[in-house]
Amino acid sequence: MPDEKLRITINGKVVLCSRDETILDAAKKAEVRIPTLCYDERLEPYGGCRLCIVEIKDFPKPVPACTTRVKDKMVISTETDEVRRMRKNILALLLSNHPNDCMRCEATGNCALQTLSYEYEVDGTRFAGETWNLPIRNDNPFITYDPNKCILCGRCVRICNDVVMAGTIELTGRGFDSRPDTSFGRPRSLDNCEFCGQCVSTCPTGALIDRKAVGRGRAYEMTKVKTTCPYCGTGCNFYLNVKDGEVVKVTSDFEAPVNHGNLCIKGRYGYDFIHSQERITSPIIKKGGQYVESTWDEALDLVAQRLGEILQEYGPSSVGAFSSARCTNEENFLLSKLVRTVFKSNNVDCCARV
Amino acid sequence: MAGQTKTRPGTRKVSRAGKKAKATTASRSKAQSGVQAVKDLTIKVCMGTGGLAAGSQDVIDEFAAQLRVCGITADIVKKCVNKTGCRGFCAKDVLVEITLDGETAVYQLVTPDKVSRIVQEHILGGDPVEQWLVGPEYHAFHDKQTKILLKQCGQIDPEDINAYIEIGGYEGVKKALSQTPFEVIEEVKSSGLRGRGGAGFPTGLKWEFCSMSSEAVRYIICNADEGDPGAFMDRAIIEGNPHSVLEGMIIGGYAIGAKEGYIYIRAEYPLAVGRLEIAIEQAKKRGFLGKNVLRSGYDFEIRIKQGAGAFVCGEASALMRSIEGKRGMPRAKLWRSAVKGLWDKPTVLNNVETFANIPLIILNGAEWYRGFGTERSTGTKVFALTGKMKNTGLIEVPMGMTLREMIFDIGGGMTGKNTLKAVQTGGPSGGCIPARHLDLPVDFDSLASVGSMMGSGSMVVVDQTTCMVDLAKFFITFTQHESCGKCVPCRIGTKRMLETLTRITEGRGREDDIDLLIELGNDIKNASLCGLGQSAPNPILSTIEFFREEYEAHIKYGRCPANVCKSLRQYLISPEACKMCGKCSRVCPSGAIKWEPRHTAELDKTKCVKCGACYDACPFNAIM
Ligand SMILES: Cc1cc2nc3c(=O)[nH]c(=O)nc-3n(C[C@H](O)[C@H](O)[C@H](O)COP(=O)(O)O)c2cc1C
Ligand code: SF4
Ligand code: SF4
């Protein structure tokens, strides 16, 4: 119930919350940043990484902010020496089984683990011990999986099962050897993978990366251009990552009102056409049985002229238009207007309706 | 599966009144002359998993065969041999109890080859075979115990609902159904019963939370996962008296308003599963389960769900995920199970032993129940005593009994010349309690006060030959292996603790390892998601607290005081004791022992790999 306001104090700031909000939700309202690795707004709170632990006054031990609901008059501190020390140890444990090879890692500059290790000044030496040393998996045309960099935040597994509902990956094994994998370790592409790259979009480390963009630039070298997906009528937004005038990859726009950062295979990986040599870049007119390249002026004049003739001779119902789902709403609207008000025909449709 | 051979209803005891043979001398002569008198004879053979493992099926078969040979018809033999559940005295399995004309004698360590003499001398001859009867320790083992839950285990036929009904079974359900759910919950609340699954949460309160839900569909679950490696009390209760658990669940289901119940049991317990299946079938036929239970209008079904035997699946939320068909992984407690449990519906989960207590509480009243145990931990508790004691097995005692009474009075003290060093309670989640705390009363709160816990109720008694670092390593190996991998402190933290302990036991310990273990241990306890991680460091932290000098001996002096850690052993050859036979030199795999005929053997420490082969080979104990 939204009107049920509870008064919460976070680092001295007071915020009003409702009963089913968590401490993490409250912190966002108070503009207090709490570090997380396993949290993704698109997913249910998980409580796996334990980095979001905070102290609550009169509580015997720290609690995870992502999976603790607020109570009235809670007094929360997010940056005490004790929780910072514990976070440091948790990060050090993660780094103790990590290649710590940021120099060559695709995720450098865009890795939550790297950012937090920098912020908390930790490395993997304190708890050094056995590491995995597993083979890198290149068994999917779009996705490279380096299990050694995986921190088991479970985000890929959850997005694959709970959002995409493909069920390609699950956490497997127990203890130190647990990790996300397909059933029986089969190639990802064979196990019902939809190639949507949702797992890549949520992975906070370099464990899952877009294969097509490997070696083509760091996150900070990219100019990010926000755009709408041209493939269907849903209107998902995303960022084209452009370097040296070339689209290198697509990344999620988590603020997008339609898709919240989610994408399908077409939006995420279907951008090859942009720089394709086979792309048709000027109008083509069939002249005497031959396709001949021409100019926009010539083509538009031809279409206008022929449409006029047909309308004159056979009436409005003799023409119609079928538009594409790859057009934007605005473009579809304009076409509909053209057909209905200029041609005076009702014969207009769009493939998005199927 | 042995559990599937049924005994016929109503044939628990051979009682052909009026046809009894009276004088034993008479029966002996009759036996010799081949004429068989029909006697009032009951033979009870321990057929729990412990008994079965010790060969009780062979013993039963042998009794059957022998009695047939002696002219007692097969029909009677079948009636005589009950498949009883666990009696708790596992160290002396197979136990056979023979009641002949009202007199009972118990044999221990029975093997098939002993059966013939027992049949001849005791059953036919009337003279029990004294040398094989149980000794005074059997009686000591039993007399100090207060059995209310285990009372019927080993006494009634677990595969026959009539046997349970005869001793007042299902009267609790009848009484509960005549009350309102509210009254039932009040009774359980006032009994003070606390969950026997480990955490000791008040059962009545748990039921009350769930009963207050506004959702119509609710579930009740019995936790029979029993993952603690040292525990087997839940198995014993199910194998010995499965109906008591069903009865507890029916009453609980009625109280919280659940129409469906699940029993989550590990598939490694085939006998228990089989007996539950039989019990559910029989209870359905008698109207205790199914639509309209005892014509009260209340519907209740119980299903069995077999688990694959992961320790973490005993944890409440992981168990529910497993029933749902998902990976058994704990879920963060954003909501209590009483609000969102199985399939996000209000759910109550209780342990087997908790449920077995319920019919007794309803039938005899909360006040009666509070008569056992202490004020804050009422009732009795079943413990699995294992380790270096004379009598090991399952015991049931009132809460608050001291460790000393359990180990020395019931357990009969230590074996041989061993001295008690510590008791590990609560399995891998619990802690080590040193000998000086032996007078600690065992209940939920006092165990917690010394850094241990009740856990499932397993108790491992260790003596001076156990290395505490090695013991801690054993438990953390188990928890690391069983961690579900979800949260960082448990998944990687326990691995690093295990690695640290390993290097300490191998003589590679570092100066600050103890501090590291303490800091990491406390962080794992405080930052882990579920009870597994939150309790995994307990064995390490408690052994450091009480046996720190053993850790230091390993790290600073490269010495294992209990002489257990292989890498730290030092082998020496005593020139005085050496008889120059050369056996040691021949078995040494690394050529570290120099020997020539008529010369004492010499050991080169730099080459020794500490395998101990020479130590085992020397016939003269010259190697130390
Ligand atoms: C790792 C782990 C393993 C557990 N295993 C068991 C078990 O095998 N049997 C059990 O009854 N409870 C087990 N528990 C406790 C359960 O989570 C739960 O508290 C209990 O079943 C509730 O029943 P109770 O209230 O009757 O004790 C386990 C808990 C944890 C954290
Ligand atoms: S692959 Fe990435 S998203 Fe998946 S569990 Fe590992 S770190 Fe998390
Ligand atoms: S504490 Fe261990 S077993 Fe429990 S959720 Fe975390 S990783 Fe899994």
Side-chain angles (χ1 to χ4, degrees):
Chain A
M1 271 161 269
D3 52 356
E4 213 176 354
K5 288 292 181 192
L6 314 175
R7 275 177 77 86
I8 318 296
T9 312
I10 298 189
N11 297 353
K13 287 189 204 170
V14 175
V15 274
L16 295 179
C17 297
S18 68
R19 271 185 41 172
D20 38 277
E21 282 181 298
T22 63
I23 296 179
L24 196 60
D25 296 331
K28 264 187 216 149
K29 282 189 189 170
E31 296 183 342
V32 167
R33 183 180 149 264
I34 297 177
T36 58
L37 283 173
C38 67
Y39 183 78
D40 180 331
E41 262 184 22
R42 296 173 286 175
L43 303 167
E44 293 281 312
Y46 187 62
C49 73
R50 317 307 281 174
L51 275 181
C52 66
I53 45 171
V54 295
E55 271 178 29
I56 301 177
K57 196 167 159 236
D58 300 328
F59 261 53
K61 61 178 194 177
V63 300
C66 69
T67 51
T68 308
R69 281 183 303 140
V70 290
K71 288 211 176 77
D72 198 18
K73 303 195 180 62
M74 248 187 192
V75 178
I76 300 157
S77 316
T78 68
E79 294 294 318
T80 63
D81 291 348
E82 179 60 6
V83 295
R84 283 190 68 92
R85 185 193 60 75
M86 285 173 75
R87 285 181 196 148
K88 238 176 144 140
N89 275 351
I90 292 169
L91 285 166
L93 284 171
L94 282 173
L95 295 180
S96 73
N97 181 34
H98 196 82
N100 301 331
D101 173 26
C102 300
M103 293 73 83
R104 282 192 319 168
C105 184
E106 278 301 315
T108 279
N110 186 30
C111 168
L113 184 64
Q114 194 184 41
T115 310
L116 288 172
S117 305
Y118 180 76
E119 184 183 332
Y120 281 81
E121 299 175 52
V122 275
D123 59 27
T125 51
R126 178 153 196 225
F127 302 114
E130 189 186 324
T131 54
W132 279 343
N133 297 323
L134 295 162
I136 295 174
R137 299 267 292 270
N138 267 318
D139 50 21
N140 188 300
F142 299 105
I143 301 164
T144 293
Y145 172 40
D146 181 352
N148 305 301
K149 290 178 183 166
C150 172
I151 56 167
L152 263 95
C153 66
R155 283 161 66 163
C156 55
V157 167
R158 284 177 289 145
I159 210 155
C160 188
N161 289 282
D162 302 349
V163 177
V164 185
M165 310 234 166
T168 304
I169 38 174
E170 178 55 282
L171 286 182
T172 62
R174 290 227 174 256
F176 186 68
D177 292 325
S178 335
R179 75 184 73 96
D181 206 341
T182 51
S183 40
F184 310 106
R186 301 199 308 164
R188 198 179 271 250
S189 27
L190 294 183
D191 237 13
N192 206 30
C193 179
E194 295 192 357
F195 311 102
C196 60
Q198 286 278 85
C199 52
V200 181
S201 81
T202 192
C203 183
T205 70
L208 288 170
I209 50 176
D210 292 323
R211 222 175 140 179
K212 293 203 295 183
V214 169
R216 297 185 61 192
R218 294 260 182 237
Y220 53 81
E221 295 174 286
M222 303 291 167
T223 310
K224 284 188 159 191
V225 182
K226 185 170 172 162
T227 187
T228 304
C229 179
Y231 277 106
C232 82
T234 307
C236 299
N237 297 147
F238 53 67
Y239 290 104
L240 291 173
N241 288 233
V242 184
K243 190 189 163 199
D244 302 334
E246 236 181 84
V247 175
V248 172
K249 67 172 171 181
V250 164
T251 53
S252 287
D253 172 11
F254 298 106
E255 255 84 69
V258 177
N259 57 319
H260 311 285
N262 297 317
L263 287 173
C264 75
I265 176 174
K266 292 186 277 182
R268 188 161 333 261
Y269 296 124
Y271 53 83
D272 292 353
F273 70 91
I274 300 175
H275 303 293
S276 170
Q277 297 302 317
E278 291 164 43
R279 192 169 167 185
I280 299 168
T281 49
S282 57
I284 293 171
I285 300 173
K286 200 172 181 182
K287 290 180 182 162
Q290 291 287 318
Y291 288 104
V292 181
E293 222 169 89
S294 106
T295 62
W296 282 108
D297 280 344
E298 189 190 354
L300 287 174
D301 284 348
L302 179 68
V303 172
Q305 181 208 333
R306 288 291 297 132
L307 275 173
E309 288 165 12
I310 294 167
L311 282 168
Q312 196 100 69
E313 199 172 336
Y314 302 104
S317 59
S318 64
V319 297
F322 196 73
S323 86
S324 165
R326 292 191 56 178
C327 301
T328 61
N329 270 348
E330 291 77 1
E331 288 158 345
N332 281 316
F333 177 79
L334 288 175
L335 185 77
S336 147
K337 271 275 182 250
L338 178 75
V339 175
R340 290 184 213 271
T341 61
V342 180
F343 303 165
K344 308 242 177 324
S345 166
N346 276 329
N347 298 339
V348 61
D349 212 339
C350 172
C351 72
R353 75 143 69 231
V354 284
Chain B
M1 202 188 311
Q4 258 148 19
T5 354
K6 279 190 206 165
T7 319
R8 285 198 208 150
T11 55
R12 268 190 325 120
K13 222 165 130 201
V14 183
S15 174
R16 298 208 169 162
K19 285 194 189 173
K20 287 180 195 168
K22 280 203 181 111
T24 44
T25 37
S27 66
R28 180 183 292 163
S29 59
K30 276 180 193 167
Q32 280 156 357
S33 63
V35 185
Q36 183 48 50
V38 183
K39 298 177 181 188
D40 184 359
L41 170 68
T42 313
I43 301 176
K44 292 181 177 173
V45 180
C46 224
M47 289 289 278
T49 300
L52 279 176
S56 59
Q57 188 61 51
D58 294 343
V59 171
I60 282 206
D61 293 346
E62 190 62 22
F63 268 109
Q66 290 281 333
L67 294 183
R68 210 177 304 121
V69 167
C70 298
I72 299 175
T73 59
D75 196 31
I76 301 177
V77 174
K78 232 180 179 176
K79 286 177 183 173
C80 294
V81 185
N82 279 338
K83 279 195 274 163
T84 36
C86 192
R87 226 176 289 237
F89 202 54
C90 303
K92 298 289 160 67
D93 261 325
V94 175
L95 291 169
V96 177
E97 184 183 305
I98 297 182
T99 308
L100 185 64
D101 293 337
E103 277 191 37
T104 301
V106 184
Y107 291 96
Q108 62 187 20
L109 300 169
V110 179
T111 46
D113 56 314
K114 290 182 177 167
V115 170
S116 143
R117 189 166 153 206
I118 295 173
V119 170
Q120 288 303 324
E121 294 184 17
H122 185 172
I123 297 179
L124 300 177
D127 297 324
V129 187
E130 292 284 345
Q131 73 191 96
W132 294 339
L133 290 178
V134 290
E137 71 276 11
Y138 178 81
H139 299 289
F141 186 77
H142 285 287
D143 295 348
K144 264 252 172 175
Q145 299 191 43
T146 306
K147 295 196 174 186
I148 61 174
L149 296 175
L150 295 182
K151 190 169 156 199
Q152 311 303 343
C153 292
Q155 296 304 319
I156 60 169
D157 183 347
E159 295 179 9
D160 178 8
I161 193 170
N162 291 313
Y164 184 62
I165 292 173
E166 262 176 48
I167 54 143
Y170 288 109
E171 288 301 319
V173 168
K174 287 181 196 158
K175 188 165 168 194
L177 289 177
S178 71
Q179 299 175 336
T180 64
F182 177 77
E183 285 166 329
V184 174
I185 292 177
E186 283 305 309
E187 192 75 36
V188 175
K189 264 168 74 181
S190 95
S191 75
L193 174 67
R194 293 172 68 176
R196 301 299 195 241
F201 192 84
T203 306
L205 272 186
K206 201 187 254 189
W207 291 13
E208 189 176 54
F209 286 139
C210 188
S211 71
M212 291 186 307
S213 165
S214 56
E215 291 236 26
V217 176
R218 302 169 198 178
Y219 297 101
I220 190 158
I221 309 176
C222 172
N223 189 344
D225 189 56
E226 199 158 62
D228 171 353
F232 53 105
M233 53 288 287
D234 294 348
R235 191 192 74 207
I237 291 174
I238 294 176
E239 286 176 0
N241 194 359
H243 286 285
S244 67
V245 181
L246 298 190
E247 187 176 1
M249 286 184 74
I250 300 169
I251 297 171
Y254 173 70
I256 67 157
K259 290 191 165 58
E260 268 180 79
Y262 283 88
I263 301 176
Y264 187 86
I265 181 165
R266 52 181 48 226
E268 288 101 321
Y269 282 179
L271 183 59
V273 173
R275 289 199 172 150
L276 277 174
E277 281 167 353
I278 295 170
I280 291 174
E281 217 31 62
Q282 292 176 342
K284 266 189 203 156
K285 284 210 184 98
R286 291 300 190 91
F288 297 118
L289 280 176
K291 283 241 171 295
N292 201 2
V293 173
L294 298 177
R295 298 203 180 80
S296 65
Y298 170 58
D299 305 335
F300 190 63
E301 300 272 0
I302 294 182
R303 286 194 193 115
I304 298 175
K305 167 82 191 176
Q306 295 191 42
F311 179 53
V312 73
C313 285
E315 195 276 341
S317 58
L319 182 150
M320 290 173 202
R321 298 295 86 71
S322 175
I323 293 182
E324 291 169 3
K326 302 188 180 126
R327 175 176 161 94
M329 233 167 36
R331 192 161 75 170
K333 288 195 179 41
L334 205 53
W335 304 94
R336 281 177 209 273
S337 300
V339 180
K340 284 187 179 181
L342 184 62
W343 286 301
D344 279 349
K345 297 290 176 202
T347 304
V348 158
L349 172 78
N350 279 123
N351 167 261
V352 170
E353 197 181 324
T354 312
F355 279 123
N357 272 304
I358 297 292
L360 302 170
I361 291 172
I362 296 300
L363 205 56
N364 303 311
E367 190 138 348
W368 168 84
Y369 192 76
R370 281 201 310 271
F372 303 98
T374 64
E375 198 188 330
R376 299 208 50 229
S377 300
T378 57
T380 62
K381 173 82 192 91
V382 182
F383 291 97
L385 279 186
T386 49
K388 308 274 175 70
M389 270 169 310
K390 290 210 183 84
N391 310 328
T392 56
L394 280 190
I395 63 165
E396 182 180 350
V397 295
M399 290 274 193
M401 184 180 260
T402 64
L403 282 172
R404 186 182 301 283
E405 286 173 283
M406 282 191 216
I407 296 165
F408 287 93
D409 297 346
I410 300 176
M414 308 296 286
T415 47
K417 284 185 282 187
N418 300 325
T419 54
L420 187 141
K421 184 171 176 181
V423 189
Q424 165 81 18
T425 69
S429 320
C432 249
I433 300 173
R436 71 185 128 102
H437 282 318
L438 271 188
D439 291 311
L440 189 81
V442 176
D443 59 45
F444 289 107
D445 308 308
S446 57
L447 284 178
S449 74
V450 292
S452 184
M453 63 188 274
M454 182 77 79
S456 52
S458 75
M459 283 207 178
V460 186
V461 176
V462 300
D463 64 9
Q464 78 286 355
T465 62
T466 301
C467 166
M468 300 318 265
V469 188
D470 188 60
L471 183 76
K473 193 174 90 181
F474 169 80
F475 284 116
I476 200 81
T477 307
F478 177 81
T479 34
Q480 154 57 208
H481 194 76
E482 294 291 334
S483 159
C484 82
K486 179 166 181 172
C487 64
V488 183
C490 172
R491 179 182 77 245
I492 312 182
T494 56
K495 173 79 179 175
R496 299 302 175 228
M497 288 190 101
L498 170 60
E499 287 171 346
T500 309
L501 288 181
T502 306
R503 71 171 173 254
I504 294 177
T505 56
E506 288 175 356
R508 296 180 288 113
R510 300 174 196 155
E511 198 74 24
D512 62 348
D513 271 352
I514 297 180
D515 293 336
L516 184 91
L517 286 172
I518 294 174
E519 182 182 340
L520 191 52
N522 282 318
D523 282 357
I524 297 173
K525 277 180 78 144
N526 289 327
S528 289
L529 191 158
C530 85
L532 192 149
Q534 286 161 10
S535 61
N538 284 347
I540 300 179
L541 295 176
S542 66
T543 47
I544 291 182
E545 179 174 352
F546 297 119
F547 300 94
R548 193 180 176 114
E549 66 288 351
E550 278 196 39
Y551 282 79
E552 285 169 351
H554 284 76
I555 297 171
K556 290 190 189 151
Y557 310 109
R559 206 170 55 79
C560 172
N563 206 18
V564 171
C565 299
K566 233 175 165 180
S567 324
L568 299 182
R569 278 191 218 150
Q570 296 274 1
Y571 290 98
L572 282 178
I573 299 176
S574 150
E576 293 83 46
C578 176
K579 297 273 183 295
M580 307 175 194
C581 71
K583 281 204 169 123
C584 54
S585 168
R586 284 193 287 277
V587 296
C588 177
S590 62
I593 300 179
K594 214 171 84 193
W595 170 82
E596 281 164 27
R598 291 181 302 284
H599 282 83
T600 48
E602 279 172 41
L603 194 151
D604 179 354
K605 278 191 193 149
T606 59
K607 285 192 189 158
C608 173
V609 292
K610 296 170 181 173
C611 69
C614 56
Y615 179 88
D616 295 336
C618 177
F620 310 107
N621 291 333
I623 296 176
M624 295 173 291

